[in-house]
Amino acid sequence: KKVINLMVPYFVFYIIFISLKLLFSKYVNTEMGISEIINILNRPISPFWFLYALMSLFTITPILEKLLKNKKYIIMMVFISLKLISLFVKTNLFFLDSIMNYGIYFYLGKFINDNVDINKNKNIIASIIFFITAMCYYNIIEFVPAHLKYIISIIFAIGGIYISINIFKNVKKCKKTVDENRNKCYYIRVAADKHG
C-alpha cells in the first residue's frame, strides 16, 4: 500500500515535470530529454529521487523485519553495515544505492519514534542547542577535517531526527488535547441547552 501511495505520485509528477521541461525547453535552466523518462526507474531526477528512495526503504524494511524477527538492534546493524559499504561501493542501481545510503536514517527515525518520550520542555531545550550547534558548525565547516565531517553529519542526522519526531509527537498530542477539550465544551453546551 505504501509503495503504491508513493509510486503513483512519483510517476505522475515525474512525467508531468519532464513534459513541461521538454515543452518549455527554451525557458528552463536545465534542459531534459527523453533519456530522463527512460531512466525513470534507475536515475530519478531531483526532487523526485526522495519519493523513489522512500519507496525502496518501505519495500526492504518490512522484509528485513520479517527475516530478522523484528530484532531492532540487528536490523540497525544491517543498515549501519550497508552505509559503511556504500562509502566504497556504488552499484549504479538507484534502488540499491538508496537503501545503502539512506536506510540507516530511515530506520533511525523508526527506532527513535518507537523509543522516544514526549517531553515538551526537553524538546524546546534540545531544539535550541541543536540549532545553535548547527549554525556554529556550518560557519566553521571549511576548517573541519574531511573524516570528521562524516561523523558530525551522522550526529546532526540523529539530532534532527530526534527533534523532528518530538515536535510532531507534541503537535499530535496538542491536537488531541484541543479536540478532547472541544468535545467536552460541546457536550457541556448540549447539557446546558437541555436543562434550560
Side-chain angles (χ1 to χ4, degrees):
K1 191 178 176 183
K2 289 253 185 199
V3 169
I4 291 165
N5 287 345
L6 288 165
M7 287 316 280
V8 169
Y10 172 74
F11 281 110
V12 170
F13 289 110
Y14 194 104
I15 290 164
I16 289 170
F17 184 76
I18 298 291
S19 303
L20 288 170
K21 285 260 187 183
L22 285 168
L23 194 62
F24 300 104
S25 57
K26 286 189 256 179
Y27 309 105
V28 295
N29 294 331
T30 313
E31 285 190 30
M32 291 181 185
I34 302 299
S35 64
E36 276 77 20
I37 293 177
I38 292 166
N39 288 311
I40 193 168
L41 287 174
N42 194 39
R43 284 202 309 266
I45 54 167
S46 183
F48 303 104
W49 66 269
F50 183 72
L51 286 173
Y52 196 100
L54 265 182
M55 183 278 300
S56 306
L57 292 162
F58 272 122
T59 304
I60 200 72
T61 305
I63 294 167
L64 277 175
E65 287 174 338
K66 194 145 183 116
L67 288 172
L68 299 170
K69 296 177 180 166
N70 212 14
K71 291 178 179 166
K72 292 175 184 176
Y73 290 100
I74 296 172
I75 297 165
M76 183 69 77
M77 289 310 297
V78 168
F79 281 120
I80 289 168
S81 303
L82 288 171
K83 180 67 179 172
L84 291 171
I85 292 166
S86 77
L87 299 174
F88 309 101
V89 177
K90 296 285 178 237
T91 67
N92 292 322
L93 296 169
F94 190 79
F95 183 84
L96 291 177
D97 285 338
S98 60
I99 290 166
M100 290 167 73
N101 282 312
Y102 310 119
I104 184 166
Y105 304 111
F106 180 82
Y107 201 73
L108 261 172
K110 189 177 186 323
F111 187 82
I112 292 169
N113 184 52
D114 294 343
N115 297 294
V116 76
D117 290 325
I118 302 169
N119 188 315
K120 204 170 181 179
N121 295 331
K122 264 190 199 172
N123 183 39
I124 291 164
I125 293 162
S127 299
I128 291 165
I129 292 167
F130 179 78
F131 288 117
I132 290 169
T133 309
M135 285 190 327
C136 293
Y137 171 68
Y138 285 110
N139 282 322
I140 59 156
I141 193 166
E142 60 202 65
F143 306 110
V144 177
H147 63 281
L148 275 179
K149 280 181 187 174
Y150 181 71
I151 295 164
I152 293 168
S153 70
I154 290 200
I155 292 166
F156 276 140
I158 293 166
I161 291 165
Y162 172 80
I163 289 165
S164 301
I165 288 169
N166 224 329
I167 287 168
F168 284 110
K169 279 191 169 186
N170 274 306
V171 167
K172 195 174 176 182
K173 190 179 174 185
C174 288
K175 187 184 179 304
K176 189 179 174 187
T177 306
V178 167
D179 290 344
E180 284 170 0
N181 288 339
R182 191 180 293 133
N183 288 339
K184 280 179 192 170
C185 290
Y186 171 76
Y187 289 120
I188 289 166
R189 277 203 310 274
V190 169
D193 290 345
K194 276 184 182 175
H195 297 292

